[in-house]
Amino acid sequence: MPRELTQNRIQKIWIPSKDDKPAVPRRAGGPYFTNSPTVIVMVGLPARGKTYISKKLTRYLNWTGVPTKVFNVGEYRREAVKQYSSYDFFRPDNQEAMKIRKQCALSALTDVKSYLLEEGGQVAVFDATNTTRDRREMILNFGKENGFKVFFIESVCEDPNVVATNIMEVKVSCPDYKDCNKTDAMEDFLKRIECYRASYQPLDPDNYDRDISFIKVIDVGRRFLVNRIQDYIQSKIVYYLMNIHVQPRTIYLCRHGESEHNVLGQIGGDSGLSSRGKKFSGALSRFMEEQNLKNLKVWTSQLKRTIQTAETLSMPYEQWKALNEIDAGICEEMTYEQIKERYPEEFALRDQDKYYYRYPTGESYQDLVQRLEPVIMELERQENVLVICHQAVMRCLLAYFLDKSADEMPYLKCPLHTVLKLTPVAYGCKVESIYLNVEAVNTHRERPEQDVKRGPSTLMRRNSVTPLASPEPTKKPRIKSLDDHMASTSTSLSGFAASDISTAGQPLLGKACLT
Amino acid sequence: MRGCGQSWGRDRAVCMTNCPTLIVTVGLPARGKTYISKKLTRYLNWIGVPTKEFNVGQYRRRCVKIYKSFEFFSPDNEEGLKIRKQCASTALNDVQQYLSSEGGQVAVFDATNTTRERRNVIIKFADQNGYKVFFVESICEDPDVINANIVQVKLGSPDYADCNTDEAVEDFMKRIKCYENSYETLDEVLDKDLSYIKVMDVGQRYLVNRVMDHIQSRIVYYLMNIHITPRSIYLCRHGESDLNIKGKIGGDSGLSERGKKFARHLGDFIHEQNIKDLKVWTSQMKRTIQTAEALGVPYEQWKALNEIDAGVCEEMSYEEIQEHYPLEFALRDQDKYRYRYPKGESYEDLVQRLEPVIMELERQENVLVICHQAVMRCLLAYFLDKSAEELPYLKCPLHTVLKLTPVAYGCKVESISLKVEAVNTHRERPENVTVNRSREEALQTVPSHL
């Protein structure tokens, strides 16, 4: 007998009604798949962009709904060895240091295991040099013992300019060098790199490493070698890595000028600009001219108000249907007051969980993220771009660039007539907010008071890592000795109890795509 | 699609003129170059990038009516070399015609192109015409794969129409040998400034060099996701729904009694087929999920598989649409592929929405997709290489499963009716599509319903 279906009230997803938690976003269907979690392992000499890639990839995967976390072994080392003295620590003949460094790696792997098996993680990025076969062998075994897939990302670069730039951007200002001047820091770091060079065994696709899954990124993306992609997530990672670049550029995000619906407090629809909205378009045009950019691309949605705004710029622009505002379904063109009156339950449900909530016959923020993924991918490929879009859409895009969680995303402030200028810097994104001095209504609704019943469990949330702050330190006790550590890593694969852990945030489909 | 050059909703002719792209295959015979060429062409056309392949072997067959033996390809056969060079030239002329005068965006130049000299000729040609060049090299030394290729596609080629299998295989192997000595693979140093992808051992490994733009990036992604492992894709619609019976479109109704019966029959069918590791996908609409529930196996819900959004016409019958929106109704009949319902979608939008589904279908093996009429038409058009004009009129009746199996360069289709009655929801294009047509003319082809 086929099971009866009910529609989950927040996501409007049909699920068999025997489930006792209809409000929890989850995959539909029978037994839950245990998708093998994936460990991404960085490989490469220092200053080759491993941490840059780790953080960016993590941000991207989290935004698309794949719970991902970076484990940077350098940070574990800084915890263990409070004060960095010099590159001598990294000399291959420094036995004491070697011991500490190995412990740190093992400690990080323990945390990886915990994250993937007990904390709902799907992907862990193990960020370290991992330049020797021995070290990689150890990680492969670790993966095998725990049922994790392993995917290596090696960054190879011998352009001295690139290496020097990296060192200046992120190394001289790192905690290790807080008491040094730039020149000394640079000099020490270059010697640090040399310590690794003699023992560096690059991935060898023709022989030794022909059976493992990896991508070699050569010369900052000029060339790639891809070996044995196993599954969907590895394929997406490869595609992403092939589309990102490090050319300096700026992304401008703004909404259309104030629209007639905005003035009336109506959501959605396809109205034209108000007179203040038109004034904003003029101001935007002058602003962009002042920015004096070579080669600016301008993108709009296919709704009238963004196109009208772009028209004033007198430059070519591209229309993307994917940039259209969130579809409010039956609530289209209503004011919030009207919605509250006519659909009080829907109104309340939305405040309960604004990210997962789908308007009846409409969309949710989660749907928006899925829709916007090709836009993000193309933004990564491009250089200077101005995106003229809408409130919910802009929140989603901003959340990607600023690494905001699903929880925060629907409440990010994106006021009318304000341009956000995003510039990549170090490991993150600098944001400048520029109000163009044309009055407009405020369309921002704050998160309601905390007495509103919270929706799905925190397992649904993605990690929130603010770009330039240090990642949350792991709370695990420091491991005193290697022996203690070996004793504590008796592995038993704790069954991946999937009942609450759903990757409902998958843009494309439920979990199976991760197999 | 072979529409008006309007690609995928994104590139507007009003803004920039995109350089056309010339994709050039490289590799010994029987390495899958034509397979890749045809598949890539089909994919690019489906997503709205006008693409055409130019197979030099076909030019050669037109020129040299009868194929005698591998000796034609011998490196010291001067006459043969002359003809082959001429054929390549003719093909390049046609490429130029297609890209510069016929609105083509991508041309796939399918030949061995195994020498640097030949490739330089092509690069020069492209430079002169302002085309970007992207090489796709296929390298494979696995004798099993090569043999399988020969059996699948070479034996049936016109060249070997009068040979038996053994003779054909023997000759073809000698043909391959003719190319081997002069084969210059794309080189890390010598070709470092070219844009290319090397596909090794049928996708085990890839080397990608200097991807220049969006289209090249999409091509690389596509090539990295396709495979040649034998498998079948089953497409069907949900069982007959309550709205179907009333002749209404869209909505989110449940299955009728006959629809439920179909679901049960589908379950039986799936079990009988005994398919290894079958994945089942549905949309997020009740009727497909109800259908899947009857199968008793795990399934995945994709919002991307939802039926086309009919906007203001949701849950109306065609009669009601004619009554309330006669103009829209006529416009739709004029260009059913591009027509977007007010506040709704077009088939063109659907294709964009379904692209990730197609990509994942390429990655997967055996899959059953339970979807909807317009969605199924889009997916079917991809597999069967149907144009934008044909797509919205493909027949996808209720209670019928289409089994697609890749074979040679294309797809075999088997249509299996599961013998449960259902309404017909297929509306042919009426004769009169003008906006001032009568109600009768508009409703001429509406199938009967309650």
Side-chain angles (χ1 to χ4, degrees), chain B residues 33-52:
Chain B
K33 297 184 301 299
T34 301
Y35 176 81
I36 288 171
S37 300
K38 287 183 184 264
K39 210 168 155 75
L40 195 50
T41 299
R42 176 162 59 89
Y43 168 70
L44 290 171
N45 276 314
W46 186 76
I47 63 172
V49 180
T51 307
K52 189 169 173 187

Side-chain angles (χ1 to χ4, degrees), chain B residues 212-245:
Chain B
M212 299 300 287
D213 61 15
H214 174 87
I215 196 87
Q216 290 180 15
S217 158
R218 294 288 292 274
I219 289 166
V220 165
Y221 185 45
Y222 183 71
L223 292 177
M224 295 198 321
N225 282 321
I226 61 181
H227 68 77
I228 55 167
T229 312
R231 48 85 169 251
S232 288
I233 294 170
Y234 298 80
L235 300 181
C236 73
R237 291 164 68 187
H238 53 81
E240 183 192 68
S241 73
D242 289 325
L243 282 179
N244 284 146
I245 295 181

Side-chain angles (χ1 to χ4, degrees), chain A residues 3 14 28 205-206 222-224 226 228 232 235 238 242-243 302 318 333 358 378 508 510 512, chain B residues 9-10 188 196 204-206 208-210 214 217 220 224-225 252 284 293 300-302 340 343 360:
Chain A
R3 300 178 285 190
W14 290 100
D206 294 318
R222 184 161 300 172
R223 208 171 147 77
F224 300 91
V226 181
R228 292 194 187 259
Y232 168 79
S235 156
V238 164
M242 295 200 322
N243 283 320
Q302 284 187 352
E318 294 209 22
E333 305 201 59
R358 186 186 280 167
E378 191 54 24
L508 298 192
Chain B
R10 186 190 160 262
E188 190 176 327
Y196 64 83
Q204 198 144 281
R205 191 191 308 177
Y206 305 90
V208 180
N209 199 59
R210 290 194 187 259
H214 174 87
S217 158
V220 165
M224 295 198 321
N225 282 321
D252 195 14
Q284 284 187 352
E293 277 285 317
E300 299 267 350
Q301 297 185 13
W302 290 70
R340 188 185 280 169
K343 309 208 176 151
E360 190 55 23

Side-chain angles (χ1 to χ4, degrees), chain B residues 59-71:
Chain B
Y59 284 75
R60 188 259 306 156
R61 272 184 280 276
R62 257 177 261 164
C63 187
V64 180
K65 300 293 174 198
I66 313 278
Y67 173 77
K68 297 211 191 70
S69 80
F70 75 95
E71 298 199 345

